[in-house]
Amino acid sequence: VSYLPHFLGFSVLLLALWTLGFNRAATEVLVRSYSIIGMLVAGALALRWFDRYTESPDPETLVGALVDQVDSFARFCINIAFAGAVLQIIGLLDPLRQLLDNVGVTVGDSELTALNIIRALCVLGGAVLVSRVTRVLLDRWLYPRFGVDVGAAYATSTAVHYFVIALAMGLALITLGIDLAALAVFAGALGVGIGFGLQDFAKNLISGLVLLFGRVIEKGDLVTINDTYIGNVEQIAGRMV
């Protein structure tokens, strides 16, 4: 509302251009300017609606947990989407895409461009979002319905998370144009590194996975050490419990 006088003055200026015979210029400026204004208003309303919605649901419910997991990611996507729409309206999206596609370096037989790197990051970000949403759906909806115990549920959710991230990393490498067969060299170098100086790291990592999937210790178990330290298992990760 505060900018309404400026909009009206701008409209009068375009009408004057139209009257003077600059029909095409006035039309282009009118359509693009008011399209941008409409997109900015729509983006502001979307973010405001999201702010109000995120404050209302109970975080203990399924919807509340989902909103809590996608909060920051959804805000980022809204901003990026409306920024891309504005660039498309003013005709700068295609030139920007071509510029990003031409900026890059050559690594072996693969060419890493800025555009491919952005696409790979989008794949990884989408995988993290899918993993979070999947874990919420499993924890809040599927496991309670079938009565899955806490330890098995935690191990299954962690396995799903690792699978989604590993799949996304493979897709990201394909997006970058890197041949997955070339990773055999990296795997060999990693094996040499483990043999020389990463034995403890590899041992701890494998031990953590054994604890997680072997379910010797589960989330929710009561643990005592020398009858002195007592606590509940809250999390089992790759290298720590």
Side-chain angles (χ1 to χ4, degrees):
V1 175
S2 61
Y3 286 99
L4 183 59
H6 302 284
F7 295 157
L8 294 178
F10 188 66
S11 302
V12 172
L13 177 61
L14 292 177
L15 181 60
L17 289 175
W18 183 279
T19 305
L20 293 175
F22 298 97
N23 300 344
R24 184 175 179 181
T27 302
E28 288 289 331
V29 174
L30 175 67
V31 171
R32 296 193 179 194
S33 300
Y34 278 92
S35 297
I36 293 174
I37 293 172
M39 294 299 298
L40 293 177
V41 171
L45 291 177
L47 290 175
R48 178 171 296 183
W49 173 86
F50 201 83
D51 289 335
R52 293 179 179 179
Y53 186 75
T54 52
E55 296 174 357
S56 58
D58 184 3
E60 296 300 326
T61 63
L62 175 61
V63 176
L66 286 174
V67 171
D68 182 64
Q69 290 295 328
V70 303
D71 185 5
S72 58
F73 190 83
R75 295 174 190 274
F76 178 76
C77 290
I78 290 174
N79 288 313
I80 291 297
F82 283 102
V86 171
L87 290 176
Q88 178 65 32
I89 291 173
I90 62 180
L92 293 180
L93 185 60
D94 290 335
L96 179 61
R97 186 187 297 115
Q98 294 177 2
L99 176 63
L100 293 176
D101 197 23
N102 292 329
V103 176
V105 294
T106 301
V107 180
D109 296 333
S110 304
E111 184 177 359
L112 299 179
T113 64
L115 183 60
N116 288 337
I117 293 175
I118 293 175
R119 289 173 176 170
L121 292 176
C122 290
V123 171
L124 293 177
V128 173
L129 178 64
V130 169
S131 175
R132 289 183 176 182
V133 172
T134 302
R135 295 188 74 165
V136 171
L137 291 176
L138 291 175
D139 293 337
R140 305 281 181 173
W141 179 75
L142 186 63
Y143 296 150
R145 174 168 294 189
F146 292 97
V148 181
D149 65 273
V150 177
Y154 186 81
T156 303
S157 297
T158 305
V160 171
H161 171 72
Y162 288 159
F163 173 77
V164 172
I165 296 301
L167 181 61
M169 291 182 64
L171 293 177
L173 291 176
I174 294 175
T175 303
L176 291 174
I178 298 177
D179 187 7
L180 296 182
L183 294 180
V185 178
F186 174 75
L190 182 62
V192 174
I194 291 176
F196 277 103
L198 297 177
Q199 299 99 329
D200 290 337
F201 175 81
K203 179 173 62 177
N204 292 336
L205 179 62
I206 295 175
S207 299
L209 296 177
V210 170
L211 288 177
L212 177 63
F213 298 109
R215 299 176 60 188
V216 179
I217 299 178
E218 297 181 339
K219 181 181 178 180
D221 286 352
L222 180 66
V223 178
T224 61
I225 302 177
N226 295 331
D227 296 328
T228 303
Y229 301 101
I230 303 175
N232 291 314
V233 177
E234 295 291 339
Q235 181 183 1
I236 301 176
R239 300 187 65 234
M240 64 90 180
V241 175

